Amino acid sequence: MTFRSLPIIEPILKALEEEGYTSPTPIQLKAIPIVLDGSDLLGCAQTGTGKTAAFAIPVLQLLSKEKSNEKKRKIRSLIVTPTRELAIQIGESFDAYGRHSGIRNTVIFGGVSQNPQTSALQRGTDILIATPGRLLDLMNQGYLHLRDIEIFVLDEADRMLDMGFIHDIRKLLGALPKKKQSLFFSATMPPEIVKLSASILHNPVSVSVTPVSSTAETIRQEMYFVDKGNKNSLLLHILREPKIKNTLVFTRTKHGADKVVKFLQKHDITAAAIHGNKSQNARQRALSGFKDQSMRVLVATDIAARGIDVDELEYVINFDIPNIAETYVHRIGRTGRAGAKGTAISFCDREEKEYLRDIEKLITLKVPVIDTHPYPLTGQEPDKSKPQALHAAGHPNPKPAASQKRTHWRSTTRKIN
Ligand code: AMP
């Protein structure tokens, strides 16, 4: 199946070819015709499934079909997304797929000066991509209104609620015209999301490609049991492997992220942290360094990592096991995107074993255990007086784990459609 078999107009097909896309992903295959048809859409899809293009392509096409003749462009489509990183990435996708369409987009988000954003709005835009806070702020200041919106997209609705944006969303909904086409995307569908979607969508068509309980088949998963105090050394041990190039490491807390970065830098591994306490500039710098591979390790917290989209990200390391099982699926979904290969390595200490049980229940899969590493779980914290990196620098634990057998991963994950 190619993009040419979908009813997509030539300028967009040309842009997709230039992007190197050959065939649509399942969500694109299902969603594009529905949206082009004018229906509301309820999409259950996680990041990494190609969901951005699934809405960006038909939005661009619908808007270019009826170009407005007015002198100043009107905001005809609004995309609301929870984080600045996601907003920027969605903007880049619209730029890429819409480069021959003559449709203009503008991205607005908080944490930076509003001046360039208000100037862009004053020049006029067809599509506005926004995080909720800055959007409401600029609306209240009179820089924009939403009266001309024809297509409204709410992206990552579950994360939006997690981040406490529900009141902002309600305000936004009140400012949108009654008659419009709405597209609603969420990786998970808990009851409050279903309720929210019902208040937005009219006779929607539901499309579900990769429910959150399933992990991409292309991702190899590995579990390392390790004492908490040995996690740094284990990380270093793993990163000594030169084939592991750029790696995204997840920690539960901002403080934890900073500590890991400091430790890695001390051992000559280029690393930076990305989390809510970092300025927008610092985040962007870290992300660009990671993307152009001048920096090997990016350490992120869950919220900050939302929207990190790096092509060919082969490794994700869960330095901590997330206490919410769905987060595990989101995290490892950063690798193995769009059919590429990926490996997700997790470090589990004694206290985290119960989180692991929840995860395995959710994904209906036992994550294969690697028990041949030099820092097996003892249940006892290490002697802090000994230098931590000694083992990692090539002196493995004199008492290796009982079994030397490496567990090989098999593609047993089921796709539940
Ligand atoms: P998303 O789920 O929208 O975050 O997309 C995940 C990644 O897949 C992004 O890097 C896209 O550029 C890429 N992508 C989306 N659709 C396709 C496609 N049809 N072929 C190849 N790559 C794609």
Side-chain angles (χ1 to χ4, degrees):
M1 185 60 116
T2 65
F3 279 106
R4 290 203 170 265
S5 38
L6 290 171
I8 300 176
I9 54 176
E10 202 51 43
I12 299 178
L13 285 174
K14 188 169 168 219
L16 293 173
E17 268 161 26
E18 287 163 2
E19 279 299 290
Y21 292 8
T22 47
S23 44
T25 65
I27 183 103
Q28 292 161 3
L29 206 53
K30 290 180 186 174
I32 292 171
I34 295 167
V35 182
L36 285 177
D37 225 28
S39 298
D40 280 6
L41 179 86
L42 175 62
C44 183
Q46 62 197 66
T47 318
T49 54
K51 74 175 161 62
T52 314
F55 64 76
I57 293 169
V59 165
L60 284 162
Q61 179 154 336
L62 290 171
L63 296 189
S64 41
K65 210 168 73 188
E66 284 172 44
K67 277 206 188 105
S68 127
N69 294 326
E70 288 174 47
K71 248 207 202 127
K72 190 177 164 191
R73 292 167 194 252
K74 294 188 295 189
I75 305 173
R76 298 167 62 201
S77 181
L78 172 69
I79 323 293
V80 180
T81 192
T83 67
R84 330 163 201 205
E85 286 80 10
L86 267 172
I88 292 169
Q89 257 158 42
I90 294 172
E92 286 169 355
S93 297
F94 273 102
D95 284 343
Y97 315 142
R99 70 166 71 94
H100 304 299
S101 70
I103 298 291
R104 196 188 289 167
N105 77 78
T106 294
V107 183
I108 62 172
F109 47 82
V112 292
S113 156
Q114 69 173 41
N115 297 340
Q117 299 177 359
T118 53
S119 307
L121 288 170
Q122 270 151 2
R123 285 194 296 276
T125 187
D126 305 289
I127 300 171
L128 181 64
I129 300 143
T131 54
R134 177 59 58 99
L135 176 60
L136 283 172
D137 191 6
L138 296 188
M139 270 168 71
N140 290 339
Q141 294 180 54
Y143 284 108
L144 66 104
H145 66 78
L146 305 178
R147 291 191 290 272
D148 301 311
I149 298 295
E150 297 163 32
I151 311 168
F152 168 58
V153 182
L154 188 67
D155 185 37
E156 309 247 338
D158 52 352
R159 192 51 61 139
M160 204 86 85
L161 258 53
D162 270 3
M163 291 172 71
F165 286 137
I166 186 68
H167 298 297
D168 288 352
I169 299 298
R170 293 240 161 84
K171 273 189 217 151
L172 280 177
L173 294 177
L176 288 167
K178 278 224 157 46
K179 193 171 163 289
K180 63 186 173 303
Q181 184 179 7
S182 301
L183 319 177
F184 185 104
F185 289 89
S186 189
T188 56
M189 289 289 165
E192 66 270 39
I193 288 289
V194 174
K195 213 170 118 195
L196 179 67
S197 72
S199 73
I200 298 176
L201 303 170
H202 297 283
N203 299 325
V205 181
S206 286
V207 167
S208 171
V209 284
T210 327
V212 70
S213 53
S214 76
T215 41
E217 287 169 21
T218 45
I219 303 172
R220 160 189 169 122
Q221 299 174 61
E222 296 179 345
M223 188 61 58
Y224 287 68
F225 289 109
V226 57
D227 293 315
K228 199 190 205 113
N230 272 336
K231 284 187 174 182
N232 270 340
S233 305
L234 178 59
L235 180 63
L236 201 55
H237 169 76
I238 287 172
L239 292 174
R240 294 268 179 224
E241 173 59 62
K243 79 167 197 260
I244 300 188
K245 295 203 172 68
N246 59 341
T247 305
L248 179 59
V249 175
F250 283 97
T251 59
R252 202 174 301 129
T253 64
K254 298 169 199 171
H255 179 61
D258 289 336
K259 267 183 23 194
V260 170
V261 166
K262 252 196 205 144
F263 176 81
L264 292 178
Q265 286 173 341
K266 214 169 90 191
H267 291 88
D268 298 323
I269 291 181
T270 48
I274 177 167
H275 56 62
N277 287 0
K278 299 271 168 190
S279 69
Q280 176 66 9
N281 283 345
R283 283 170 174 224
Q284 281 306 319
R285 223 178 16 250
L287 203 52
S288 329
F290 191 58
K291 279 188 175 180
D292 69 21
Q293 306 207 350
S294 58
M295 195 186 59
R296 193 169 163 213
V297 181
L298 187 66
V299 187
T301 55
D302 291 302
I303 301 233
R306 197 74 181 174
I308 290 178
D309 175 20
V310 182
D311 291 339
E312 292 163 42
L313 175 58
E314 240 185 273
Y315 287 87
V316 163
I317 298 182
N318 291 311
F319 193 83
D320 301 310
I321 302 290
N323 53 350
I324 298 170
E326 281 85 357
T327 304
Y328 175 82
V329 183
H330 285 309
R331 285 183 179 184
I332 75 168
R334 307 284 137 183
T335 177
R337 286 185 163 205
K341 263 193 331 193
T343 302
I345 294 170
S346 302
F347 295 173
C348 181
D349 65 32
R350 200 174 49 165
E351 285 166 18
E352 292 170 324
K353 281 189 171 178
E354 60 170 291
Y355 304 150
L356 175 59
R357 273 194 292 276
D358 291 344
I359 289 165
E360 292 185 331
K361 219 161 96 194
L362 178 77
I363 64 176
T364 60
L365 179 79
K366 272 235 159 305
V367 180
V369 175
I370 303 297
D371 54 10
T372 51
H373 65 87
Y375 303 98
L377 181 74
T378 63
Q380 289 154 5
E381 286 306 303
D383 183 350
K384 285 272 191 308
S385 61
K386 286 191 186 142
Q388 279 221 356
L390 193 65
H391 296 161
H395 306 277
N397 191 324
K399 266 201 262 164
S403 161
Q404 288 289 339
K405 214 172 90 224
R406 188 182 155 97
T407 314
H408 287 285
W409 177 83
R410 275 176 303 139
S411 171
T412 47
T413 315
R414 282 174 295 139
K415 232 180 195 150
I416 312 158
N417 273 325

